[in-house]
């Protein structure tokens, strides 16, 4: 099914400003459909004036639909539906006396011109399935009156208001609806709206009360309502605002209603978001707790590393000093992951930063005489913490192994070395290649039988923790070693 932009570009002469106006309208016309108990179809004028193209369609959630099939992209020639022609040509709302019959369903049609400035740029057809019509209740009368007011404002080019930023919590008509007059007095409140105010502690009725005063008593214990809130509760400003007390939280949206340039009242939609805000506060608390845990784990690991370094300075046996230094590096790589997690809002980390910090740590603590440069290409992307921690240790061990064994005996005539870390992320997989230009693998090298502790750790983590593949190869384009890791990752 084509989009509104597709239809407008392919079949009309509407410019971008016209299209922006129409996009703003259709982003908010679910409200008009629900208040009207009717289907809405946005008809766009054909480039050559031969008829109208259906650019968008909306069904009501408050009543039966008049269109069982989608009609966006269809064409209606002139004279086929005279009400469309009349609304577009005269710029006035047009109503039909006799209903149309569609698939044995009587449908009452009303056409509403959409104005931008002095021009009519489209027509809304409001189609009401008359099989669902019954003796109107007070709620239905209030809804239909509000829909009529909004239709006039669309014709006058007033509605929708620009500058509003509709959120996921923006209330709909069925969530709760209040109608206030020009003085801010409540003339109608839907049952859901009354229930929401009851939850905040209201014991009287809403109808006949001044909404600003009664809301101020509920949220401020009788204190004066500030100007922003007052402008919303009196319907003077098209805004969204949240109010709360110790019992409940409500999200309000005010739509000022105007007729002939005069403020005649407002439609105020509201939604009870008490449970939603409670869950959000719980999530914030849990996230803060998790970050604090990671922060403390990082601090504890750094303390362990400091103790190991102190112990290493007291030992005179070179082998023991080397073993403690390796332990410090391993603890440090885990601490880097926890430090990154303590700065994030979930259990995922941008591993590029972790890899760069691990590489810097390995280069900084190197004790060999050769100057080793570590570089990275490609991106690891975002990884789960359960993958990030073992991968950080694996990279630490591989780069440290290259530093010590590939460059540890390098002569002073060639005192530099390079380690290249390449990451390639594909759908569901991560391939990591660590390459050095050192002296290469020893003869008859076998990673599975090697007695090196670091390689044993690497093999265990890659195969056991990451469920991946591990390969060691001589470098093909010169002296050195290439290590390849390939393992699954969650997208």
């Amino acid at each position: 099914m084509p989009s509104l932009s597709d239809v407008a570009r392919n079949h009309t002469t509407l410019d971008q400003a016209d299209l922006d106006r129409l996009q703003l309208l259709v982003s908010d016309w679910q409200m008009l459909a629900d208040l009207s108990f009717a289907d809405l179809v946005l008809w766009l004028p054909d480039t050559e004036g031969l008829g109208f193209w259906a650019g968008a369609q909306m069904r009501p959630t408050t009543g039966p639909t008049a269109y069982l099939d989608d009609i966006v992209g269809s064409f209606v020639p002139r004279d086929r539906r005279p009400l469309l022609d009349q609304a577009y040509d005269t710029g006035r709302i047009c109503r039909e006396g006799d209903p149309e019959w569609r698939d044995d369903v009587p449908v009452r049609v009303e056409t509403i011109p959409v104005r931008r400035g002095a021009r009519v740029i489209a027509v809304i057809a409001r189609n009401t399935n008359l099989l669902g019509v019954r003796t109107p209740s007070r709620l239905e009368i209030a809804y239909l009156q509000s829909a009529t007011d909004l239709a006039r404002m669309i014709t006058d080019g007033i509605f929708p208001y620009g500058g509003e930023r509709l959120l996921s919590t923006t209330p709909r008509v069925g969530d709760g609806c209040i109608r206030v007059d020009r003085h801010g007095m409540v003339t109608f409140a839907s049952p859901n709206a009354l229930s929401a105010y009851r939850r905040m502690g209201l014991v009287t009725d809403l109808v006949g009360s001044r909404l600003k005063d009664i809301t101020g008593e509920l949220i401020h214990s009788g204190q004066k309502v500030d100007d922003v809130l007052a402008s919303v509760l009196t319907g003077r400003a098209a805004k969204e605002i949240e109010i709360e007390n110790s019992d409940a939280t409500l999200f309000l949206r005010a739509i000022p209603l105007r007729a002939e340039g005069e403020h005649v009242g407002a439609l105020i939609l509201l939604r009870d978001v008490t449970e939603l805000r409670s869950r959000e506060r719980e999530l914030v608390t849990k996230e803060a707790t998790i970050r604090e845990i990671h922060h403390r784990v990082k601090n504890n690991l750094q303390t362990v590393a400091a103790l190991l370094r102190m112990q290493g300075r007291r030992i005179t046996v070179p082998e023991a000093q080397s073993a403690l230094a390796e332990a410090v590096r391993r603890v440090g790589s885990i601490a880097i992951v926890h430090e990154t997690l303590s700065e994030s809002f979930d259990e995922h980390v941008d591993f590029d930063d972790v890899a760069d910090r691990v590489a810097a740590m390995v280069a900084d603590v190197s004790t060999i005489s050769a100057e080793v440069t570590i570089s990275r290409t490609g991106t690891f992307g975002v990884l789960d913490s359960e993958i990030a921690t073992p991968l950080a240790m694996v990279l630490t061990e591989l780069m440290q192994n290259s530093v010590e064994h590939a460059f540890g005996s390098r002569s002073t005539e060639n005192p530099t070395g390079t380690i290249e870390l390449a990451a390639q992320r594909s759908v569901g997989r991560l391939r990591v290649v660590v390459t050095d230009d050192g002296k290469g693998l020893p003869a008859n090298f076998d990673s599975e039988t090697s007695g090196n502790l670091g390689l044993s750790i690497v093999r265990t983590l890659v195969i056991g923790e990451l469920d991946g593949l591990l390969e060691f190869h001589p470098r093909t384009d010169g002296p050195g070693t290439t290590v390849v890791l390939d393992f699954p990752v969650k997208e």
Side-chain angles (χ1 to χ4, degrees):
M1 187 170 65
S3 67
L4 173 59
S5 298
D6 295 334
V7 176
R9 282 196 300 265
N10 296 332
H11 303 293
T12 77
T13 58
L14 297 174
D15 59 27
Q16 187 58 48
D18 295 332
L19 184 57
D20 291 343
R21 183 68 180 173
L22 295 177
Q23 294 281 15
L24 183 64
L25 173 64
V26 299
S27 70
D28 200 21
W29 70 342
Q30 179 70 64
M31 174 176 58
L32 179 61
D34 290 343
L35 290 171
S36 304
F37 306 97
D39 290 71
L40 304 179
V41 180
L42 183 68
W43 293 98
L44 310 180
D46 178 65
T47 299
E48 300 179 0
L50 301 178
F52 300 90
W53 294 88
Q57 178 180 1
M58 178 58 67
R59 295 183 176 90
T61 61
T62 52
T65 182
Y67 285 103
L68 298 179
D69 295 325
D70 296 327
I71 64 171
V72 174
S74 62
F75 177 73
V76 172
R78 270 190 172 267
D79 301 326
R80 174 76 60 83
R81 294 186 180 174
L83 289 181
L84 284 178
D85 303 340
Q86 293 174 25
Y88 183 75
D89 294 339
T90 66
R92 296 197 304 267
I93 296 175
C94 300
R95 296 180 177 85
E96 190 172 45
D98 297 328
E100 294 182 2
W101 287 84
R102 301 174 190 162
D103 299 325
D104 297 326
V105 175
V107 177
R108 183 175 63 241
V109 180
E110 179 180 9
T111 51
I112 305 165
V114 180
R115 191 183 304 276
R116 176 177 168 264
R119 297 168 45 243
V120 175
I121 60 174
V123 176
I124 295 175
R126 186 160 58 175
N127 306 270
T128 305
N129 184 335
L130 296 180
L131 290 180
V133 174
R134 58 186 185 277
T135 302
S137 65
R138 189 162 173 267
L139 179 144
E140 290 168 329
I141 293 173
Y143 279 15
L144 291 171
Q145 180 60 53
S146 298
T148 299
D149 292 337
L150 289 176
R152 290 173 181 163
M153 292 167 61
I154 292 173
T155 299
D156 293 339
I158 300 173
F159 185 83
Y161 296 103
E164 286 190 282
R165 186 171 60 91
L166 302 182
L167 307 173
S168 59
T169 53
T170 296
R172 295 191 174 190
V173 171
D175 295 325
C177 178
I178 295 175
R179 178 73 184 256
V180 298
D181 63 17
R182 69 183 65 197
H183 305 294
M185 302 293 292
V186 179
T187 60
F188 168 77
S190 70
N192 284 345
L194 184 58
S195 296
Y197 264 81
R198 294 268 192 239
R199 186 166 186 179
M200 292 197 76
L202 179 69
V203 295
T204 60
D205 198 356
L206 274 175
V207 176
S209 304
R210 192 180 300 275
L211 188 61
K212 181 185 74 170
D213 296 339
I214 203 165
T215 303
E217 293 176 359
L218 293 174
I219 64 176
H220 291 307
S221 301
Q223 297 179 18
K224 184 179 179 180
V225 175
D226 63 65
D227 293 340
V228 175
L229 181 56
S231 67
V232 172
L233 297 175
T234 57
R236 294 283 178 177
K239 287 183 177 293
E240 294 183 337
I241 199 166
E242 198 166 283
I243 61 174
E244 66 177 346
N245 60 15
S246 58
D247 297 318
T249 304
L250 306 183
F251 194 80
L252 278 64
R253 180 192 178 192
I255 302 103
L257 301 176
R258 302 180 66 84
E260 298 179 355
E262 297 291 330
H263 175 74
V264 297
L267 187 68
I268 297 178
L269 306 181
L270 60 99
R271 180 184 178 191
D272 185 348
V273 293
T274 305
E275 300 301 329
L276 177 63
R277 293 295 178 260
S278 176
R279 289 195 297 268
E280 287 177 351
R281 284 192 288 269
E282 289 178 1
L283 287 174
V284 169
T285 301
K286 289 179 180 178
E287 289 171 353
T289 301
I290 291 172
R291 290 200 302 272
E292 179 63 21
I293 290 172
H294 285 302
H295 181 71
R296 294 189 181 187
V297 170
K298 182 261 297 184
N299 288 343
N300 290 339
L301 289 173
Q302 289 179 338
T303 300
V304 171
L307 292 173
L308 291 174
R309 281 193 293 268
M310 291 175 59
Q311 187 67 35
R313 287 194 293 268
R314 293 174 176 270
I315 294 176
T316 58
V317 180
E319 291 80 1
Q321 289 180 332
S322 177
L324 288 176
E326 290 181 0
V328 168
R329 287 190 292 272
R330 289 162 186 154
V331 171
S333 64
I334 301 175
I336 289 174
V337 175
H338 282 280
E339 183 177 7
T340 304
L341 287 169
S342 70
E343 298 169 353
S344 66
F345 290 93
D346 53 28
E347 289 296 287
H348 301 80
V349 295
D350 182 354
F351 199 81
D352 289 347
D353 179 58
V354 174
D356 294 341
R357 293 166 69 179
V358 166
M361 178 188 68
V362 171
D364 288 343
V365 300
S366 174
T367 58
I368 66 172
S369 58
E371 180 181 344
V372 178
T373 302
I374 303 177
S375 61
R376 174 179 62 85
T377 59
T379 179
F380 291 86
V382 177
L383 300 177
D384 290 343
S385 60
E386 59 187 23
I387 292 178
T389 300
L391 181 57
M393 290 195 64
V394 167
L395 295 182
T396 301
E397 296 296 334
L398 290 177
M399 289 186 287
Q400 184 60 35
N401 192 67
S402 293
V403 169
E404 291 185 353
H405 299 286
F407 309 115
S409 59
R410 178 154 286 186
S411 66
T412 56
E413 289 79 10
N414 188 17
T416 62
T418 60
I419 299 174
E420 298 175 0
L421 180 61
Q424 182 179 2
R425 184 79 176 258
S426 58
V427 178
R429 304 290 298 184
L430 178 60
R431 179 181 174 88
V432 183
V433 180
V434 182
T435 306
D436 66 58
D437 59 355
K439 63 182 181 180
L441 295 171
N444 301 320
F445 173 80
D446 187 345
S447 64
E448 295 186 3
T449 59
S450 172
N452 183 284
L453 176 59
L455 293 183
S456 298
I457 292 174
V458 168
R459 190 170 57 254
T460 300
L461 292 176
V462 172
I463 298 175
E465 294 290 328
L466 300 178
D467 192 25
L469 304 175
L470 175 65
E471 298 176 353
F472 290 81
H473 305 289
R475 186 169 178 171
T476 57
D477 56 348
T481 303
T482 298
V483 184
V484 179
L485 316 175
D486 190 288
F487 53 90
V489 293
K490 296 178 182 178
E491 295 299 322

